[in-house]
């Protein structure tokens, strides 16, 4: 950025992202498919760009190792950390899903998958588990014991019921009879109003970044922070948006605009963010700094297509941790 240029007024995270999430996002952006370990000192300096203290950064590293999400090694007095085997494939899959989510709405045959169940009051824990896992599949509660989804999820629902040992339940794939009360419309089970507002807020918050990019006002440090926080902010949408067919979406649905803003910023900030990642790493190891790289949406699409039978199968610590985190979130949100 040229000397004397005004500093870009960029959005900042409304709540500081959790250090473990920041670190996995940074390594997922700039260090996957690398066997080399990065010294802890360099990772501490990377997280310092996000106002994470040294103690907080080191605690995050230890916890990620304990969860199987980072490997550690020692050379003399230096501790270093790297991405475990088979995790890079998972990162590519999840990043591809994150970057492509919202580009199109799914096709719909007009049918709903309905799960109707009755679980006794004394089995409250089982009922909570069932609701949480139905929500994780993409269902929403139309009534207390009637959950719906426009997606063809009958097999998944039956499998879930078997896993939980629930036989007082029925799974249907059916159409709605026209002319019913508005409050009984299956789409009313989904809180699209709140989601629309969240997409609108995301767009309003980040559109200014594009203006700053056009004006050449973003420094490498700003690029790294903004791109990483953008990724963290967007990642929740593929998890909370039920991805309904276009026929069921409100007229003011703001996801297409939000998705375009996200994708443009993610791609355009990549080179500057990589430069900052390299700058910080070079203060500890210039040799390792040369190995860092970013990937834009086109490169991720190519990597994803090349995975073939190396695609993840749900058995890595990274995937298991993601499922556990998401299950905990939905259990705490609306049980």
């Amino acid at each position: 950025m040229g000397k004397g240029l005004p500093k870009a007024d960029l959005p900042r995270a409304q709540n500081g992202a959790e250090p473990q999430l920041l670190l996995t996002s940074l390594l997922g952006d700039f260090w996957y498919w690398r066997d080399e370990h990065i010294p802890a000192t360099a990772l501490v300096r990377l997280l310092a760009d996000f106002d994470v203290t040294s103690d907080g950064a080191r605690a995050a590293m230890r916890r990620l190792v304990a969860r199987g999400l980072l490997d550690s090694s020692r050379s003399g007095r230096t501790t270093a950390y790297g991405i475990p085997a088979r995790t890079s494939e998972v990162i590519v899959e999840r990043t591809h899903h994150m970057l492509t989510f919202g580009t199109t709405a799914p096709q719909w045959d007009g049918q709903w998958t309905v799960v109707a169940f009755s679980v006794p009051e004394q089995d409250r824990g089982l009922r909570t588990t069932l609701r949480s896992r139905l929500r994780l599949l993409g269902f929403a509660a139309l009534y207390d014991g009637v959950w719906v989804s426009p997606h063809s999820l009958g097999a998944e629902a039956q499998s879930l019921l078997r896993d939980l040992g629930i036989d007082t339940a029925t799974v249907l794939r059916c159409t709605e009879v026209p002319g019913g009360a508005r409050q009984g419309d299956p789409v009313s089970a989904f809180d699209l109003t709140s989601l629309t507002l969240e997409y609108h807020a995301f767009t309003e918050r980040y559109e200014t970044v594009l203006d700053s990019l056009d004006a050449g006002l973003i420094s490498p440090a700003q690029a790294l922070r903004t791109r990483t926080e953008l990724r963290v902010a967007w990642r929740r949408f593929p998890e909370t948006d039920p991805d309904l067919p276009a026929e069921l979406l409100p007229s003011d649905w703001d996801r297409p605009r939000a998705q375009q803003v996200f994708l443009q910023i993610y791609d355009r900030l990549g080179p500057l963010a990589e430069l900052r990642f390299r700058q910080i790493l070079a203060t500890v190891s210039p040799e390792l700094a040369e190995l860092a790289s970013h990937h834009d949406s086109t490169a991720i699409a190519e990597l994803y297509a090349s995975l073939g039978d190396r695609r993840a199968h749900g058995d890595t610590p990274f995937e298991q941790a993601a499922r556990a985190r998401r299950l905990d979130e939905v259990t705490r949100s609306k049980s």
Side-chain angles (χ1 to χ4, degrees):
M1 187 169 67
K3 185 177 180 180
L5 286 174
K7 186 177 180 180
D9 184 16
L10 300 180
R12 301 294 291 269
Q14 295 165 333
N15 295 300
E18 204 270 338
Q20 292 182 60
L21 178 56
L22 282 172
L23 187 52
T24 54
S25 295
L26 285 164
L27 295 177
D29 253 351
F30 303 102
W31 203 251
Y32 55 86
W33 265 318
R34 297 241 57 99
D35 295 328
E36 299 84 358
H37 285 195
I38 298 176
T41 302
L43 297 179
V44 168
R45 293 176 184 176
L46 275 170
L47 288 177
D49 263 23
F50 298 84
D51 303 323
V52 177
T53 66
S54 175
D55 287 345
R58 293 182 186 279
M61 295 175 217
R62 291 193 297 269
R63 289 168 184 157
L64 287 170
V65 170
R67 296 169 62 195
L69 303 182
L70 282 184
D71 285 339
S72 65
S73 60
R74 287 189 67 87
S75 177
R77 299 179 62 183
T78 299
T79 302
Y81 298 89
I83 294 176
R86 298 176 59 217
T87 301
S88 291
E89 289 82 354
V90 180
I91 292 172
V92 169
E93 283 201 40
R94 291 177 66 84
T95 303
H96 179 263
H97 178 59
M98 179 184 69
L99 293 175
T100 57
F101 179 79
T103 53
T104 58
Q107 296 292 314
W108 190 41
D109 60 4
Q111 296 193 81
W112 292 87
T113 303
V114 180
V115 179
F117 62 87
S118 176
V119 177
E121 175 65 24
Q122 59 266 31
D123 291 331
R124 185 177 302 175
L126 178 61
R127 187 168 56 190
T128 296
T129 299
L130 174 59
R131 289 171 174 171
S132 297
R133 291 182 61 179
L134 282 171
R135 191 173 289 115
L136 205 58
L137 283 176
F139 286 89
L142 182 59
Y143 306 112
D144 184 50
V146 179
W147 288 60
V148 297
S149 170
H151 304 298
S152 182
L153 295 171
E156 291 84 348
Q158 292 281 24
S159 177
L160 170 59
L161 293 168
R162 284 194 298 270
D163 287 347
L164 297 180
I166 297 173
D167 52 17
T168 52
T170 303
V171 179
L172 306 170
R173 185 74 177 157
C174 54
T175 58
E176 179 191 9
V177 176
R182 182 177 179 182
Q183 289 183 327
D185 187 341
V187 76
S188 68
F190 299 90
D191 186 5
L192 298 181
T193 300
S194 295
L195 199 51
T196 297
L197 292 174
E198 289 177 24
Y199 276 124
H200 181 73
F202 177 92
T203 304
E204 291 292 302
R205 181 179 167 206
Y206 280 104
E207 272 186 328
T208 57
V209 176
L210 295 174
D211 296 333
S212 296
L213 268 167
D214 291 339
L217 300 179
I218 299 180
S219 69
Q222 289 176 314
L224 179 64
R225 178 159 187 154
T226 300
R227 190 176 192 256
T228 304
E229 290 178 345
L230 173 89
R231 177 187 175 114
V232 170
W234 181 261
R235 63 182 276 280
R236 68 178 303 275
F237 287 120
E239 296 180 342
T240 59
D241 183 341
D243 198 22
L244 299 184
E247 298 93 323
L248 303 177
L249 296 174
S251 58
D252 60 347
W253 187 239
D254 213 18
R255 186 177 74 182
R257 186 165 69 115
Q259 200 273 342
Q260 284 300 310
V261 168
F262 163 70
L263 201 59
Q264 288 182 56
I265 295 173
Y266 186 84
D267 281 352
R268 292 179 62 185
L269 283 182
L272 273 176
E274 178 190 314
L275 176 58
R276 179 58 177 170
F277 190 98
R278 286 173 176 252
Q279 287 174 343
I280 295 173
L281 195 50
T283 64
V284 177
S285 174
E287 297 80 11
L288 288 177
E290 292 298 318
L291 303 177
S293 62
H294 79 282
H295 297 79
D296 61 17
S297 57
T298 300
I300 289 292
E302 293 171 352
L303 287 170
Y304 178 75
S306 71
L307 285 179
D309 58 7
R310 291 181 296 145
R311 290 181 182 174
H313 300 289
D315 58 344
T316 65
F318 193 97
E319 294 165 283
Q320 293 166 0
R323 281 198 303 272
R325 173 188 54 77
R326 182 66 187 132
L327 182 59
D328 180 63
E329 288 175 351
V330 299
T331 300
R332 287 186 286 107
S333 64
K334 295 181 180 179
S335 296

